[in-house]
Amino acid sequence: MSSKESWGSRVGLVLAMAGNAVGLGNFLRFPAQAINNGGGAFIIPYLVCFLLMGLPLLFVEWSMGRFGGQYGDHSTPFILNSMAPKKQKLWKYVGVFGIFTNLAVAAYYCYLESWTLSYVWHSISGSFHGQTREQVGDFFNQYVSLGTSEPVIFWVICLTLNTWILSRGLSGGVERAAKIGMPLLIMFGIFLAVRGVTLAAGESGAVNDGTVGLNFLWTPKFESIWDFKVWLAAAGQIFFTLSVGMGSIQCYASYLRQRDDVALNAMSAGWMNEFVEVCLGAAILIPIGVGYLGIDQVKTMVAGGSGFGLGFQTLPYLFQQWGPVLAAIAGMAWFGLLFFAGITSSLAMGTPIMGFLQDEFGWKRQASAWAFGFAVMVLGLPTVVFYNYGVFGEYDYWAGTVSLVVFAMLEIILFAWIFGMDKGWKEITRGADIRVPEMFKFIIKYVTPVILVGVFLGSLFSAGGIIDTIMNKAIHKQIAAAQAASDMATVDRLNTQLLYVNGSRLLLLSVFAGIAWMVYRAQMKRERTGKA
Amino acid sequence: MNATALILMFLANLLILGVTGYFFWRVLTTAPPDSVDEDEANFPRGG
């Protein structure tokens, strides 16, 4: 993505940005989080967090990107550098997060994306036809245990597809993919939502109406609003659903012209994500799940805060109750929408890395796209091969959770307190096609940083938080329990897992250090050529 | 569905659908700025 690249159309940009935000979490994580955190009442802290943290961060990231773009910077190290005073040289290293996160998340996310592609294929070809619920569940377990070479094949196909689209550039690749993917995603979503909501008890073996699931999801437990944990969960959901704190929004926005609007675009893309999450995401998984399994089973399956098991291990079986033709269509629609949600996000993860290689090292677009594909393959290989040892989870936790919070917290401090809120506000409102309410100036300067620091401290010190994770407390506890029960096989397995978990952390840490070293080299090059 | 759940779902969906539709409609109907980027390079680097 060189500085000569630009968006082909405004609609394309908004769809690409919305596609960046819309991910698998919209359909799998949101309904599970709502159920676990007060049902319908969850929407109140959720929307408050969207207004106080989500939208402000969108405004900040969009305007940071456009600001950096005017100097030809398309990745966060030098976008942050361009906003900081010249003497404060360390900000570019904070920007390393904006490359590291994209690379490390893409490494496991593309694998996840390849599952959806594979499940589309299996739904259409009727692989699940006639299988019991246990067999469909086992299919997934076999899949991630690499019982066959198929997961690797689909993974490589997925990586190649991502790389090929990225190599076609911003308007010819990413934007076109979003223009195809997003409407299809919404269409598939509407089809499944209508099917879920209109499901009738007794029909094709359903034990409940679809509305029973909706009732279960939306019945408010208003007392939960006073629970801090619910607010933390709402802030977390808003954070991850909008793809803020990653560096990809800044990269997309850096290809805007200086007079282009960011306020309306940010609003439109952000709310479009909310539409997909709340209106569609809440109307598929839970109504269908409760319709066939009942409330208690669904409650157990989403207790961990994710609808992953329900989405991959159970839904393909439930679709089979609708007969072979409708099952194939529903399976294609469900995993198809997850695939489009995934690929529009993974494409956004590629652009900051390509932008960095092109801006700083003069690489051509195609070479940088293939370099991204290769790097994702190398870094992603441990998540594929050692999935059952917790490597996938480690990548998700450190790159896909902790890094986002840290980066967002630091970038908003830079924007509001170092770059300065007055200048920042001018950036947000310059060329704006809507009037941004003045209150956001106050929110961005005071409220959002406080929320982000609160989220960070909460995740640092809470039980099972960052410190506990670093100390591997959960695994050590399991080892102690297994030792007490003289279950040496489990002790051995957990010790092996510990090795892989620590190994993957070291790997991620060395990737971060490697990117920081590249940023240092880029800075040296800039100083030599007088660009610094 | 019980009335509270129904009202809450209806209101949340209506609000989000309405706001999303409004902003997307504005994106579709607002004319783009002039193609000449006059103010480019007129912004000082650094905070």
Side-chain angles (χ1 to χ4, degrees):
Chain A
M1 311 282 154
S2 77
S3 54
K4 288 174 189 165
E5 293 256 17
S6 62
W7 293 100
S9 68
R10 187 173 186 177
V11 176
L13 163 68
V14 169
L15 288 177
M17 278 286 196
N20 173 26
V22 172
L24 276 73
N26 290 52
F27 299 95
L28 300 175
R29 196 175 186 273
F30 171 75
Q33 287 291 323
I35 284 173
N36 290 322
N37 293 287
F42 182 69
I43 201 76
I44 296 168
Y46 174 84
L47 285 179
V48 170
C49 287
F50 178 62
L51 291 176
L52 298 182
M53 189 183 74
L55 279 179
L57 276 171
L58 286 177
F59 287 143
V60 166
E61 294 200 350
W62 275 78
S63 48
M64 282 175 90
R66 190 186 55 180
F67 183 86
Q70 73 191 318
Y71 302 114
D73 297 327
H74 302 94
S75 61
T76 50
F78 289 98
I79 290 177
L80 264 63
N81 190 53
S82 69
M83 300 188 80
K86 277 199 169 177
K87 283 182 181 173
Q88 296 186 18
K89 293 180 176 177
L90 285 179
W91 283 103
K92 64 175 90 54
Y93 297 104
V94 170
V96 169
F97 276 106
I99 294 181
F100 164 76
T101 305
N102 285 292
L103 185 60
V105 172
Y108 70 85
Y109 203 79
C110 284
Y111 183 42
L112 188 57
E113 207 176 292
S114 72
W115 299 354
T116 64
L117 195 61
S118 161
Y119 270 65
V120 167
W121 164 247
H122 284 291
S123 298
I124 295 171
S125 63
S127 301
F128 303 119
H129 184 62
Q131 287 198 348
T132 62
R133 194 174 147 202
E134 286 69 30
Q135 284 172 321
V136 173
D138 282 346
F139 178 89
F140 177 80
N141 294 332
Q142 280 284 319
Y143 193 91
V144 294
S145 303
L146 301 184
T148 65
S149 57
E150 190 195 305
V152 179
I153 293 170
F154 272 99
W155 179 53
V156 172
I157 290 172
C158 211
L159 279 179
T160 312
L161 186 63
N162 270 281
T163 309
W164 177 73
I165 294 172
L166 284 168
S167 72
R168 295 183 62 85
L170 212 56
S171 59
V174 175
E175 189 175 331
R176 194 171 289 179
K179 280 180 169 172
I180 296 168
M182 285 303 286
L184 277 174
L185 180 152
I186 291 172
M187 204 175 77
F188 288 162
I190 291 172
F191 163 69
L192 288 167
V194 169
R195 187 73 190 99
V197 172
T198 57
L199 192 69
E203 174 198 339
S204 316
V207 292
N208 289 311
D209 287 346
T211 49
V212 174
L214 283 178
N215 189 53
F216 170 54
L217 182 75
W218 283 99
T219 298
K221 299 176 192 77
F222 286 114
E223 67 279 5
S224 69
I225 292 174
W226 309 110
D227 186 348
F228 178 69
K229 271 189 179 171
V230 170
W231 284 86
L232 208 60
Q237 181 60 27
I238 281 298
F239 208 89
F240 304 122
T241 190
L242 291 173
S243 293
V244 287
M246 282 195 77
S248 47
I249 292 176
Q250 290 93 327
C251 177
Y252 272 3
S254 70
Y255 293 97
L256 285 169
R257 295 170 306 167
Q258 291 312 303
R259 293 173 69 182
D260 283 341
D261 155 275
V262 295
L264 175 59
N265 288 342
M267 278 281 201
S268 183
W271 280 98
M272 199 179 286
N273 176 71
E274 294 311 295
F275 162 72
V276 173
E277 181 151 291
V278 179
C279 301
L280 299 180
I284 301 173
L285 193 67
I286 303 301
I288 297 174
V290 169
Y292 282 98
L293 307 174
I295 289 175
D296 290 340
Q297 274 202 58
V298 169
K299 211 172 179 176
T300 312
M301 292 185 83
V302 300
S306 151
F308 217 80
L310 194 57
F312 277 91
Q313 292 176 286
T314 311
L315 228 52
Y317 165 74
L318 301 184
F319 291 152
Q320 297 307 313
Q321 314 314 307
W322 299 349
V325 177
L326 199 56
I329 295 170
M332 184 200 70
W334 172 243
F335 292 107
L337 76 83
L338 291 183
F339 174 72
F340 286 125
I343 197 165
T344 46
S345 300
S346 60
L347 289 173
M349 295 171 205
T351 48
I353 293 147
M354 289 173 64
F356 177 66
L357 292 174
Q358 290 176 81
D359 293 348
E360 308 306 325
F361 301 102
W363 288 36
K364 297 272 183 243
R365 183 215 291 163
Q366 290 201 332
S368 57
W370 288 102
F372 167 73
F374 182 72
V376 166
M377 192 170 82
V378 171
L379 195 60
L381 203 57
T383 69
V384 178
V385 180
F386 306 122
Y387 176 86
N388 287 334
Y389 292 101
V391 174
F392 188 101
E394 283 302 304
Y395 275 52
D396 185 34
Y397 183 70
W398 293 108
T401 311
V402 176
S403 294
L404 307 188
V405 180
V406 173
F407 184 52
M409 187 176 66
L410 294 174
E411 75 176 351
I412 202 153
I413 290 171
L414 170 69
F415 186 87
W417 292 89
I418 293 169
F419 183 68
M421 200 54 234
D422 288 337
K423 279 166 74 180
W425 188 248
K426 273 183 194 163
E427 279 301 314
I428 290 170
T429 52
R430 177 155 55 88
D433 287 328
I434 50 167
R435 200 184 69 78
V436 186
E438 210 48 47
M439 66 171 182
F440 275 108
K441 199 173 175 181
F442 175 81
I443 293 171
I444 290 169
K445 187 163 184 178
Y446 299 104
V447 182
T448 314
V450 167
I451 296 177
L452 285 169
V453 170
V455 169
F456 176 68
L457 291 178
S459 44
L460 195 64
F461 296 112
S462 61
I466 296 172
I467 293 176
D468 284 359
T469 308
I470 291 173
M471 311 296 286
N472 289 315
K473 271 194 178 173
I475 301 179
H476 283 302
K477 203 174 165 186
Q478 288 178 51
I479 290 175
Q483 276 171 337
S486 303
D487 182 358
M488 296 322 284
T490 306
V491 172
D492 284 349
R493 185 181 54 80
L494 289 169
N495 276 323
T496 312
Q497 187 179 336
L498 210 54
L499 203 69
Y500 282 100
V501 161
N502 288 330
S504 51
R505 286 177 196 169
L506 275 177
L507 178 65
L508 290 175
L509 207 59
S510 53
V511 169
F512 189 94
I515 297 168
W517 179 75
M518 286 176 79
V519 170
Y520 171 76
R521 289 289 304 271
Q523 175 64 22
M524 292 295 110
K525 189 169 173 250
R526 280 176 172 231
E527 284 174 14
R528 273 201 312 275
T529 55
K531 201 187 166 192
Chain B
M1 281 183 84
N2 70 55
T4 331
L6 192 67
I7 291 167
L8 203 60
M9 184 183 82
F10 187 71
L11 284 178
N13 277 268
L14 201 68
L15 170 80
I16 291 172
L17 194 63
V19 179
T20 306
Y22 170 72
F23 284 125
F24 194 60
W25 173 78
R26 287 288 304 267
V27 165
L28 291 174
T29 55
T30 307
D34 298 341
S35 58
V36 183
D37 222 350
E38 291 165 359
D39 50 3
E40 198 143 333
N42 282 341
F43 291 86
R45 190 183 281 257

